Amino acid sequence: NAGVTQTPKFQVLKTGQSMTLQCAQDMNHEYMSWYRQDPGMGLRLIHYSVGAGITDQGEVPNGYNVSRSTTEDFPLRLLSAAPSQTSVYFCASSYAGTGSYNEQFFGPGTRLTVL
Amino acid sequence: TQLLEQSPQFLSIQEGENLTVYCNSSSVFSSLQWYRQEPGEGPVLLVTVVTGGEVKKLKRLTFQFGDARKDSSLHITAAQPGDTGLYLCAGARGDDKIIFGKGTRLHILP
């Protein structure tokens, strides 16, 4: 099993550009989520999904869109990149969301810089 | 307002010393997890606690969940350089969201 994979690993964008961060998991997990990590801020939840076709907002959803057409994939779209979106982005998955004993498996992260 | 407050934010101690880091909230959580993150990698789960008052041990690491399920602590005995890293607590409530604290950056000096 590859676990949770994220692409690209690094990305530089100009203000106003759009892009999609890819996330895939091969563990048949229902729950997937996107976090951003900034210095001194820990991990902040952007969007999450409890299953294919179902998504919801986290703590910091503005400027980001998600969709979940399959169980395996959960892409994160930046519609018009802003310097404030410079961050490290982590995708995570777990078997069944927030239930007890649910371990979240994290991808290696995407380091995004917006100029 | 941060839902989960972790303290201290930074901790640098000598090898062999003991330490405790804290994760506090005014909210009740159905479960609370501790993760460790190495530079350039995603967090990795250390433990999940689900019952108020629960204590779990993982070698030299002892995790405790508060009786009211609002707080947790991580105690490391005889810290080693390999314990260096960012320790994150994460709480789950009943709304399908898993919220993380800001983390405690631990550095163990050899």
Side-chain angles (χ1 to χ4, degrees):
Chain A
N1 285 351
V4 180
T5 57
Q6 291 183 238
T7 57
K9 195 162 180 61
F10 300 95
Q11 182 71 50
V12 179
L13 292 177
K14 293 181 180 178
T15 297
Q17 287 185 317
S18 62
M19 79 158 297
T20 299
L21 307 185
Q22 301 292 345
C23 174
Q25 53 90 11
D26 60 0
M27 298 174 280
N28 202 32
H29 285 168
E30 290 294 326
Y31 186 92
M32 296 186 73
S33 54
W34 277 101
Y35 292 87
R36 60 178 288 174
Q37 186 171 37
D38 303 295
M41 295 298 293
L43 289 160
R44 291 183 291 171
L45 182 65
I46 304 172
H47 286 285
Y48 65 99
S49 168
V50 299
I54 306 169
T55 63
D56 207 343
Q57 296 181 350
E59 301 171 89
V60 288
N62 292 342
Y64 307 95
N65 275 0
V66 292
S67 59
R68 184 96 180 269
S69 56
T70 67
T71 299
E72 294 78 18
D73 300 298
F74 190 42
L76 178 72
R77 297 184 187 84
L78 281 71
L79 303 176
S80 179
S84 61
Q85 293 178 304
T86 293
S87 188
V88 181
Y89 291 85
F90 287 99
C91 178
S93 74
S94 64
Y95 178 63
T98 61
S100 302
Y101 302 104
N102 250 331
E103 176 178 2
Q104 288 210 91
F105 293 84
F106 283 83
T110 294
R111 187 174 294 275
L112 175 68
T113 301
V114 182
L115 303 175
Chain B
T1 302
Q2 190 75 13
L3 202 60
L4 280 168
E5 298 284 348
Q6 287 191 243
S7 61
Q9 219 175 333
F10 303 96
L11 186 58
S12 182
I13 63 170
Q14 292 291 137
E15 180 178 1
E17 293 184 354
N18 302 332
L19 67 106
T20 302
V21 298
Y22 300 93
C23 178
N24 296 307
S25 177
S26 57
S27 299
V28 175
F29 291 94
S30 56
S31 66
L32 202 140
Q33 297 177 322
W34 285 91
Y35 290 79
R36 186 168 81 190
Q37 186 178 18
E38 307 281 352
E41 299 179 6
V44 176
L45 181 70
L46 295 173
V47 77
T48 301
V49 285
V50 296
T51 305
E54 181 176 4
V55 177
K56 281 192 174 179
K57 291 191 175 184
L58 186 66
K59 295 184 181 177
R60 294 175 295 101
L61 278 61
T62 301
F63 304 86
Q64 186 161 7
F65 202 11
D67 291 340
R69 290 186 288 129
K70 293 182 179 180
D71 54 85
S72 180
S73 63
L74 158 60
H75 181 80
I76 301 179
T77 303
Q80 298 178 0
D83 296 327
T84 292
L86 179 66
Y87 289 80
L88 296 156
C89 66
R93 300 182 301 179
D95 58 357
D96 286 327
K97 295 179 184 176
I98 299 174
I99 304 299
F100 280 78
K102 292 184 179 181
T104 292
R105 191 164 296 281
L106 178 62
H107 185 55
I108 310 301
L109 303 166

